[in-house]
Amino acid sequence: MIRVFVPGDAAALSVGAEAVAAAIAAEAAARGIAVTFVRTGSRGLFWLEPLVEVDRPGGRVGYGPVTAAEVRSLFDAGFLDGGAHARALGRVEDIPYLARQQRVTFARCGIVDPASLADYEAHGGLKGLRAALAMDPAAIVAAVTESGLRGRGGAGFPTGIKWRTVLEAAGPRKYIVCNADEGDSGTYADRMLLEGDPFLLVEGMAIAGLAVGAGKGFVYIRSEYPHAFRRMQAAIETARAAGLLGPDILGSGRAFEMEARLGAGAYICGEETSLLESLEGRRGQIRFKPPLPAISGLFGRPTVINNLITLATVPAILADGAAAYRDVGTGRSRGTMPIQLAGNVRHGGLVERAFGLTLGEIVEEFGGGTATGRPVRAVQVGGPLGAYWPTDLFDVPFEYEAFAARGGMIGHGGIVVFDDTVDLARQARFAFQFCAIESCGKCTPCRIGAVRGAETMDKIIAGQDRDANLTLVRDLCEVMRDGSLCALGGLTPMPVVSALDHFPEDFDRPAQACAAD
Amino acid sequence: MAGPAAASSSDTFDAAVVIEIAEGLRGLDGPLLPILHAVNDRLGHVDQRAVPLIADILNLSRAEVHGVVGFYHDFRRAPAGRHRVQVCRAEACQAMGGEALASRLEQVFGVPFGQTTVDGRVTLEAVYCLGNCALSPAAMIDGEPVGRATVARIVEGVAR
């Protein structure tokens, strides 16, 4: 029986994957051909979605982007035997965009059937957990420390140090919390893994539980990802039924339980302490630190709270050894980073590579420039709190320290590309407006500053008292940066100040009648 | 959020359902959000009258439950339209003409974001990222994603 792979990933579905699968099934039935469907996640080459793949002796061959209307012609061309067609892409692994990547965390995404634990295991899954079961907790923590893995959510805190703090914290009950509240515009890596390789997260969380002595894990998934939430819930049930979760994981006598929880539409719940408040059933307002969540986290217990990508990277570290991971990368940015290309970009998609290639290589060589064909003018790296950079900074290597040294951050790895029609004054205004919409309201610089910032930007855009208002905005940014309790208020100045510094011409418009007057 | 007219025209409040949901989920760790999600899903919104019932079952103050309902964008205080159209207004979608799409949708449906059409057919909501940023502008209709969204595709999606 011929196996045909059609993604069930939300992005692929958004451009017609379901209709394509239905058309292939109907056409195969009409022609009396037996076909087995595997609904995979996405490979992350989104301009090729829906990307249909067919099993061939030398490896899978791909066709994309495919529309339902083209399915008949695919059959006519003999695509089930790898036949030539205008949409034919050849062996998928040989597509340069994929061939030039170093996939570790995303090694299986788009390849395996995310509903099948057997398929997960057949593709190398559970090796990390089996290795961890043979180690004592301190040795697991040591391996993670040695790998150099830093939190992939944005702050880049060393994961091993966080884990060691929880391991050494006293307490009969500890928790693992996975932050899958991927709210940053331009990021979708968490969503892809939840939909395309959910057992990887189960494995990573179970390893974290073994490492620190936690018996329960929560995955907090944002409500904007209904497909991902359903997939993760199903994976947890499957894992429990197979004895991968529960009182006796893989027959080891050790226990770990997991639960998926849905957020309720609040960006601030991606901040770790707000997320804990939300899980406990409260408004997602941030908590003062200290105490650190590692000491007093969920329900007051010692808690490892990690980003999804961080936890999903741990199985590979345990399976292949810390050194293999540490040995790629650059400086203090070790291993690989799932970079997400988005916005006005020709080849938008996921690029997992060792740290160190330049921003320009990512945007120009992988991204292929803008989708509109106009010149790239700005990129925003690291989500809505990340800096807007001009192409002059394209030589900066993609890593934590190099970005910080130039006043930016890599955040969760999202890169949003803008062409030359972008107005950076409006983008700076949006940064304040977004902060005003999403502020939890606990601290004054964020709650009030964001509103005043948007108002002042309106005056600047209208050309009113330009110099005085620009001084005011910079002063406000300083107060927000230094006086806010968490990263939302503290980093909102980053897009604003970077826009002012790198694109001053956009803030120098002739005076107009101001709507606010 | 839907206007007051929509709230009075279709009263979906059912105390028994709220109590059944809250009793069924109270054993969870941190049960309030799962309960509010379930009420929101089953009854279409979290009616003000549900607040004291939930507060009582969880042994919380009414103010505490009310504060949580108000804090999160997902929990409605009044019923929504028959179709929920979420349009991303964040940066990646802005880079691909998302703001022009958003303002044209306001014209087409005749309501600003956050409101429901007079006939109760469509609720237009702004969201900040749907995780489909490589296929922007992005939208979601009744939970189904729309990539490379256009006015025509969204109107067609609502008509289905």
Side-chain angles (χ1 to χ4, degrees), chain A residues 69-126:
Chain A
E70 289 167 330
V71 164
R72 180 169 296 174
S73 73
L74 281 174
F75 275 87
D76 289 342
F79 88 113
L80 293 176
D81 301 309
H85 186 275
R87 299 284 183 221
L89 300 161
R91 250 172 51 98
V92 177
E93 309 285 341
D94 297 337
I95 297 172
Y97 196 90
L98 258 187
R100 285 190 288 164
Q101 299 194 29
Q102 292 159 283
R103 290 211 166 175
V104 177
T105 311
F106 280 78
R108 271 176 299 265
C109 192
I111 296 174
V112 294
D113 176 353
S116 166
L117 188 53
D119 205 17
Y120 178 67
E121 211 171 347
H123 285 82
L126 302 184

Side-chain angles (χ1 to χ4, degrees), chain A residues 105-441:
Chain A
T105 311
F106 280 78
R108 271 176 299 265
C109 192
I111 296 174
V112 294
D113 176 353
S116 166
L117 188 53
D119 205 17
Y120 178 67
E121 211 171 347
H123 285 82
L126 302 184
K127 275 188 196 159
L129 179 57
R130 292 214 163 86
L133 283 167
M135 297 159 77
D136 68 20
I140 303 172
V141 173
V144 172
T145 306
E146 205 189 313
S147 75
L149 178 66
R150 295 165 68 174
R152 296 291 187 245
F157 188 80
T159 306
I161 293 177
K162 192 183 268 189
W163 285 24
R164 194 175 63 213
T165 309
V166 178
L167 171 64
E168 289 170 358
R173 262 164 70 192
K174 299 177 185 177
Y175 293 103
I176 309 296
V177 172
C178 171
N179 183 347
D181 194 73
E182 183 178 53
D184 285 356
S185 175
T187 62
Y188 43 81
D190 292 359
R191 186 190 60 69
M192 282 181 65
L193 274 189
L194 286 164
E195 296 187 30
D197 198 9
F199 295 114
L200 180 61
L201 181 60
V202 174
E203 184 178 354
M205 288 185 67
I207 293 170
L210 292 171
V212 304
K216 177 139 192 196
F218 288 91
V219 191
Y220 186 93
I221 301 172
R222 62 201 301 260
S223 61
E224 291 84 348
Y225 289 178
H227 295 73
F229 182 70
R230 288 195 294 270
R231 175 67 79 192
M232 194 66 221
Q233 276 193 313
I236 290 171
E237 279 169 36
T238 302
R240 192 178 293 131
L244 174 55
L245 291 172
D248 183 23
I249 55 176
L250 296 177
S252 65
R254 324 263 290 268
F256 190 71
E257 252 311 333
M258 251 177 91
E259 209 175 307
R261 284 289 173 87
L262 200 58
Y267 176 79
I268 194 61
C269 291
E271 197 282 333
E272 62 179 13
T273 61
S274 298
L275 191 156
L276 295 175
E277 288 287 310
S278 184
L279 267 179
E280 290 178 10
R282 285 193 283 272
R283 298 150 61 101
Q285 289 196 305
I286 69 144
R287 293 180 186 170
F288 292 95
K289 288 190 278 192
L292 295 169
I295 307 292
S296 176
L298 189 63
F299 304 112
R301 309 286 185 174
T303 300
V304 166
I305 175 161
N306 277 143
N307 170 261
L308 185 151
I309 300 296
T310 315
L311 289 164
T313 300
V314 165
I317 291 168
L318 272 291
D320 303 328
Y325 195 76
R326 186 197 56 214
D327 289 350
V328 296
T330 178
R332 293 203 288 125
S333 301
R334 310 311 312 171
T336 61
M337 182 74 192
I339 299 160
Q340 298 130 84
L341 275 166
N344 194 337
V345 63
R346 207 161 126 230
H347 295 153
L350 183 110
V351 178
E352 183 174 357
R353 274 281 294 250
F355 286 100
L357 75 171
T358 67
L359 179 59
E361 284 171 322
I362 300 166
V363 175
E364 304 289 357
E365 289 172 31
F366 280 95
T370 65
T372 46
R374 302 179 67 95
V376 175
R377 178 148 186 259
V379 293
Q380 187 183 27
V381 186
L385 311 177
Y388 284 100
W389 277 5
T391 53
D392 302 357
L393 291 176
F394 271 16
D395 59 339
V396 177
F398 199 83
E399 54 131 322
Y400 295 101
E401 274 72 31
F403 264 62
R406 305 304 293 265
M409 64 171 189
I410 62 171
H412 188 255
I415 300 177
V416 176
V417 181
F418 294 83
D419 71 12
D420 61 352
T421 61
V422 67
D423 178 346
L424 271 303
R426 295 206 170 275
Q427 296 309 121
R429 185 198 184 280
F430 177 75
F432 281 125
Q433 184 197 4
F434 182 74
C435 183
I437 293 168
E438 297 295 350
S439 175
C440 83

Side-chain angles (χ1 to χ4, degrees), chain A residues 10-11 14 185-186 188 191 222-223 225 227 261 263-265 278 281-284 342-344 380 384 417 427 430 437-438, chain B residues 28-30 32-33 37 67 71-74 90-92 94-96 128-133 135 140 143-145 147 153:
Chain A
S14 82
S185 175
Y188 43 81
R191 186 190 60 69
R222 62 201 301 260
S223 61
Y225 289 178
H227 295 73
R261 284 289 173 87
S278 184
R282 285 193 283 272
R283 298 150 61 101
N344 194 337
Q380 187 183 27
V417 181
Q427 296 309 121
F430 177 75
I437 293 168
E438 297 295 350
Chain B
L28 291 174
D29 296 325
L32 185 52
L33 258 66
H37 266 304
F71 183 84
Y72 294 97
H73 300 308
D74 285 0
E91 291 91 339
Q94 291 170 12
M96 285 299 280
Y128 295 90
C129 199
L130 293 163
N132 198 9
C133 323
L135 292 170
M140 193 147 72
E144 289 308 314
R153 288 191 63 207

Side-chain angles (χ1 to χ4, degrees), chain A residues 487-513:
Chain A
L488 178 54
L491 290 177
T492 291
M494 192 180 275
V496 175
V497 171
S498 61
L500 283 167
D501 287 345
H502 298 301
F503 305 92
E505 62 276 22
D506 286 16
F507 296 84
D508 193 12
R509 298 286 152 77
Q512 306 160 9

Side-chain angles (χ1 to χ4, degrees), chain B residues 72-160:
Chain B
Y72 294 97
H73 300 308
D74 285 0
F75 302 133
R76 310 175 168 287
R77 263 56 101 71
R82 291 190 295 283
H83 296 290
R84 183 183 187 198
V85 177
Q86 296 170 288
V87 182
C88 178
R89 310 285 303 267
E91 291 91 339
C93 289
Q94 291 170 12
M96 285 299 280
E99 286 309 279
L101 172 72
S103 56
R104 282 178 59 209
L105 286 170
E106 286 182 322
Q107 288 166 13
V108 168
F109 293 119
V111 285
F113 276 86
Q115 292 196 18
T116 302
T117 55
V118 179
D119 60 3
R121 197 165 67 96
V122 172
T123 299
L124 198 55
E125 290 178 6
V127 286
Y128 295 90
C129 199
L130 293 163
N132 198 9
C133 323
L135 292 170
S136 51
M140 193 147 72
I141 302 173
D142 301 328
E144 289 308 314
V146 182
R148 293 198 189 99
T150 59
V151 170
R153 288 191 63 207
I154 289 172
V155 168
E156 185 195 336
V158 168
R160 266 202 296 269

